[in-house]
Amino acid sequence: MKFFIDTANIDEIKEAQEMGILDGVTTNPSLAAKENRPYREILTEICRVVDGPVSAEVIATDSAGMIAEADELVKIGDNIVVKIPTILSGLTAIKTLSERGIKTNATLVFSPMQALLVAKAGATFVSPFVGRLDDYAYDGMDLIADIVNIYNNYTFSTEVLVASVRNPIHVLESARLGADVCTIPLKVIKQLIQHPQTDIGLAKFLEDYKKVPKS
Ligand code: E4P
């Protein structure tokens, strides 16, 4: 499973990259707003340090506007993936962009049928939002299971990118279900490596080593 980091913060991206496990980045307007810098400037800097896919979201809600924005966004870097909202006009934009060889990420997906439609339109990635479904007492991971199952029934090349990840269980379940990608906040990436028994065991080894005769 590929690991993307879900942030527009360049320091967080560099920190994840140093861990040696980073495959790409996802951003959105809300994450960009936290940085208090122009979105294009942020994306340019991210593309300078990351080789993998970098998702950049359009603001337009009509197909022509989405396509025009996509044409500008892809000039930022070869690795830009254009994030398109999963609405009717978005489907048209995904179809047109995929026919032109521009990679797309269908965002704000909350149902298996939305996922089926964006795959038919040629989306490169589909982004089901698991955390936001959990907020409504619907298990977000059930949606991932449905989408993986439906895609496996056919020959879609669209990659399942689990988004709105809030905790390590979301990542574990994504891997169990065979999702292609998980986009994860830095805090959760760091939680994945932690185990109290590792810390206790390490402290004991270091303490015991003091009792080993030194030459
Ligand atoms: C990433 O592609 C999504 O925009 C992001 O994961 C949404 O996460 P949130 O529900 O925590 O805002």
Side-chain angles (χ1 to χ4, degrees):
M1 185 170 73
K2 284 175 259 187
F3 272 38
F4 289 1
I5 187 167
D6 198 21
T7 186
N9 182 281
I10 197 73
D11 293 332
E12 290 190 356
I13 291 167
K14 285 179 181 167
E15 198 177 333
Q17 215 171 25
E18 276 168 24
M19 294 177 202
I21 48 81
L22 191 67
D23 300 301
V25 178
T26 52
T27 68
N28 64 36
S30 306
L31 293 169
K34 289 187 196 164
E35 301 307 308
N36 203 25
R37 298 164 61 198
Y39 195 24
R40 202 177 171 85
E41 187 181 300
I42 296 168
L43 291 166
T44 303
E45 198 172 350
I46 295 174
C47 286
R48 217 176 282 141
V49 298
V50 174
D51 292 331
V54 175
S55 283
E57 192 155 340
V58 298
I59 303 305
T61 54
D62 63 297
S63 318
M66 290 177 191
I67 292 163
E69 267 188 64
D71 284 336
E72 288 307 308
L73 286 170
V74 294
K75 289 179 190 161
I76 295 173
D78 293 343
N79 49 343
I80 286 283
V81 175
V82 183
K83 252 177 146 180
I84 305 279
T86 304
I87 52 180
L88 275 180
S89 52
L91 270 187
T92 312
I94 289 168
K95 176 83 180 156
T96 305
L97 293 169
S98 77
E99 282 172 354
R100 285 197 204 157
I102 293 177
K103 291 186 173 157
T104 56
N105 175 352
T107 190
L108 290 164
V109 164
F110 293 93
S111 84
M113 289 301 96
Q114 288 178 313
L116 179 57
L117 287 172
V118 300
K120 285 179 72 67
T124 314
F125 297 99
V126 60
S127 284
F129 278 35
V130 295
R132 293 194 196 185
L133 279 170
D134 289 353
D135 291 343
Y136 287 88
Y138 177 96
D139 187 344
M141 298 315 299
D142 286 350
L143 175 60
I144 304 304
D146 270 345
I147 297 173
V148 168
N149 190 26
I150 290 168
Y151 282 11
N152 283 343
N153 285 341
Y154 304 99
T155 52
F156 295 121
S157 56
T158 304
E159 293 189 43
V160 179
L161 191 170
V162 181
S164 189
V165 164
R166 305 263 170 87
N167 56 60
I169 297 289
H170 282 150
V171 184
L172 171 65
E173 285 300 312
S174 299
R176 280 184 174 148
L177 291 166
D180 301 285
V181 192
C182 212
T183 187
I184 319 170
L186 182 62
K187 176 176 165 263
V188 179
I189 295 178
K190 285 179 174 174
Q191 284 176 308
L192 296 173
I193 193 75
Q194 288 166 12
H195 198 287
Q197 283 296 339
T198 304
D199 297 337
I200 292 165
L202 179 60
K204 175 88 171 106
F205 285 154
L206 294 178
E207 195 52 37
D208 286 348
Y209 187 70
K210 289 179 189 162
K211 298 173 205 157
V212 176
K214 308 294 179 289
S215 63

